[in-house]
Amino acid sequence: MVQLDNVERKENLSYAIGYYRKKKGYSQEQMAERLGSSRQHLASVEAPGMDRGVSLELLFKIAAALEIEPYLLLKFRLEK
């Protein structure tokens, strides 16, 4: 049986959301407003250790708000 551990992928997704948000010049408050969400919720999504699941719906909303393709959020890799 293959063990699926997506911890690193989830961390990279969290970092990607923060990276592209900052690149666009949005604060967490501004981004949350665009998403129709709270700043606290967005902060928990961006926090790599929170292990907060991101639905496809939210992923698509985030990508649309950032005016990027969703795959860019998923292929992001943190430089180590």
Side-chain angles (χ1 to χ4, degrees):
M1 185 168 152
V2 176
Q3 183 172 354
L4 302 176
D5 184 2
N6 291 310
V7 171
E8 188 173 346
R9 287 181 176 159
K10 290 177 187 178
E11 286 179 357
N12 283 326
L13 177 59
S14 296
Y15 288 124
I17 293 167
Y19 170 82
Y20 285 108
R21 174 184 58 76
K22 291 171 190 167
K23 187 174 178 182
K24 196 73 173 166
Y26 297 145
S27 67
Q28 282 186 339
E29 187 72 40
Q30 291 167 322
M31 183 69 178
E33 213 171 275
R34 293 177 66 84
L35 297 172
S37 184
S38 70
R39 188 204 58 78
Q40 293 83 359
H41 182 242
L42 181 60
S44 69
V45 167
E46 285 187 18
M50 290 293 288
D51 197 23
R52 179 101 181 210
V54 177
S55 68
L56 281 176
E57 183 68 27
L58 182 56
L59 181 78
F60 293 151
K61 281 183 174 183
I62 290 169
L66 294 171
E67 299 174 326
I68 62 172
E69 291 296 323
Y71 80 89
L72 292 172
L73 295 170
L74 295 172
K75 77 174 219 163
F76 186 89
R77 297 294 174 260
L78 185 64
E79 297 285 328
K80 292 187 179 187

